[in-house]
Amino acid sequence: MNNKTLQKKYTTLTKSLSEKSGAVVAFSGGVDSLLLLKAAIDALNKNVIAVTAYSPFFTKKELIETKKLAEILGVEHRIINIDTLSNEEIANNDENRCYYCKRQIMSEIKKIADETGYIAIEGSNTDDQNQIRPGKKAISELNIKSPLLDADISKADVRELLKHFVLPYSKPSNACLATRIPTGTKITAEQLQTVEVAEKCLHNIGISDCRVRHHGEIARIEIKNNTDVLLNSDITTKLKEIGFKYITLDLGSL
């Protein structure tokens, strides 16, 4: 690794993990949790369990990707099914939804850690400190550790390290499907399924970095680029076919 500062950060990360008996990694398949899982394996060899929480907020595509990545890394991978919508505190979708959801998911991951005698860890990095994330409170309450944060690793560092290790590093950041529903609007399985299908339609025309916000009859599309691709596609027809009446483009929101 040519970047000595980055090498030092990664050494700090793996050294801190190597002092533990083992690790249970909250593994969403995003770049942060992927790097954390790689570091845990480097530090602890076989004493690592990757745990993916599969809920209505998690797409089937993301689940498939986590399985493939865990297989590439050769790590034990457990998938736990969590019905977040059966929890009224989450489904009601108030400003603390993320906290309630993170608490429910991380509590299950913590149980596995307690059963094995391993430490429970998750992939927050230094950039997350500057964002409003109610879920951080749940992580703290459950005493789940954030080794990337402790090693002063940023999102840019994460991508650079993954590139060095020849692991997928360019995957766009992707919040859970619940974020597509406006705060204060009760979340239903039908809404989430509609959003998942809508975003898949965008992926199919070559737009991977996108969001489709669900506002009842209105689909509000957010993209960073490829506006010409979107406008020259049949996306309006596709989204109307799945239940939206009006299709809007929100410029510069993503």
Side-chain angles (χ1 to χ4, degrees), residues 8-234:
K8 184 178 180 180
K9 288 183 179 183
Y10 191 72
T11 299
T12 299
L13 173 62
T14 53
K15 185 177 184 299
S16 68
L17 291 169
S18 68
E19 296 168 353
K20 311 302 179 184
S21 60
V24 175
V25 183
F27 185 52
S28 67
V31 293
D32 300 324
S33 65
L34 177 57
L35 178 65
L36 183 59
L37 182 57
K38 162 66 175 168
I41 294 169
D42 284 350
L44 296 162
N45 197 10
K46 297 294 183 181
N47 295 333
V48 178
I49 303 170
V51 179
T52 299
Y54 184 52
S55 78
F57 299 165
F58 200 67
T59 70
K60 296 180 181 67
K61 180 175 181 287
E62 288 172 310
L63 181 62
I64 292 169
E65 288 175 352
T66 62
K67 290 179 179 178
K68 288 180 178 177
L69 290 168
E71 186 176 345
I72 289 170
L73 292 174
V75 69
E76 180 182 348
H77 186 208
R78 299 187 191 180
I79 298 167
I80 53 176
N81 292 294
I82 298 180
D83 184 9
T84 44
L85 291 182
S86 67
N87 185 331
E88 286 296 311
E89 287 182 319
I90 299 172
N92 286 338
N93 196 24
D94 66 17
E95 64 275 7
N96 291 313
R97 183 209 70 244
C98 185
Y99 164 73
Y100 298 132
C101 185
K102 187 72 73 174
R103 184 181 64 185
Q104 181 173 358
I105 289 173
M106 289 300 181
S107 292
E108 295 302 315
I109 291 174
K110 186 69 162 51
K111 285 180 186 177
I112 296 173
D114 291 343
E115 289 167 2
T116 56
Y118 290 175
I119 187 174
I121 56 178
E122 63 85 46
S124 295
N125 62 65
T126 58
D127 291 303
D128 295 321
Q129 294 294 93
N130 301 320
Q131 299 178 24
I132 299 174
R133 291 179 179 266
K136 289 190 294 187
K137 180 182 176 184
I139 291 169
S140 175
E141 289 175 349
L142 293 167
N143 197 30
I144 291 173
K145 304 303 181 183
S146 306
L148 299 182
L149 185 60
D150 294 338
D152 196 34
I153 291 175
S154 67
K155 177 71 77 174
D157 292 336
V158 167
R159 294 190 186 279
E160 191 63 31
L161 284 164
L162 288 176
K163 184 177 180 180
H164 171 76
F165 292 127
V166 197
L167 288 168
Y169 64 91
S170 59
K171 181 180 178 181
S173 298
N174 190 33
C176 77
L177 290 177
T179 62
R180 315 304 199 264
I181 314 302
T183 301
T185 300
K186 187 164 184 174
I187 302 171
T188 67
E190 182 181 10
Q191 290 170 332
L192 297 173
Q193 185 176 33
T194 299
V195 168
E196 183 174 354
V197 173
E199 292 188 355
K200 185 177 180 181
C201 289
L202 289 170
H203 297 161
N204 288 342
I205 62 172
I207 301 175
S208 58
D209 198 356
C210 62
R211 303 281 190 278
V212 176
R213 308 289 182 184
H214 194 302
H215 297 271
E217 295 181 329
I218 302 171
R220 178 164 60 91
I221 299 173
E222 297 177 359
I223 57 175
K224 276 188 176 178
N225 45 42
N226 294 319
T227 306
D228 55 336
V229 173
L230 182 71
L231 296 178
N232 289 312
S233 72
D234 62 349

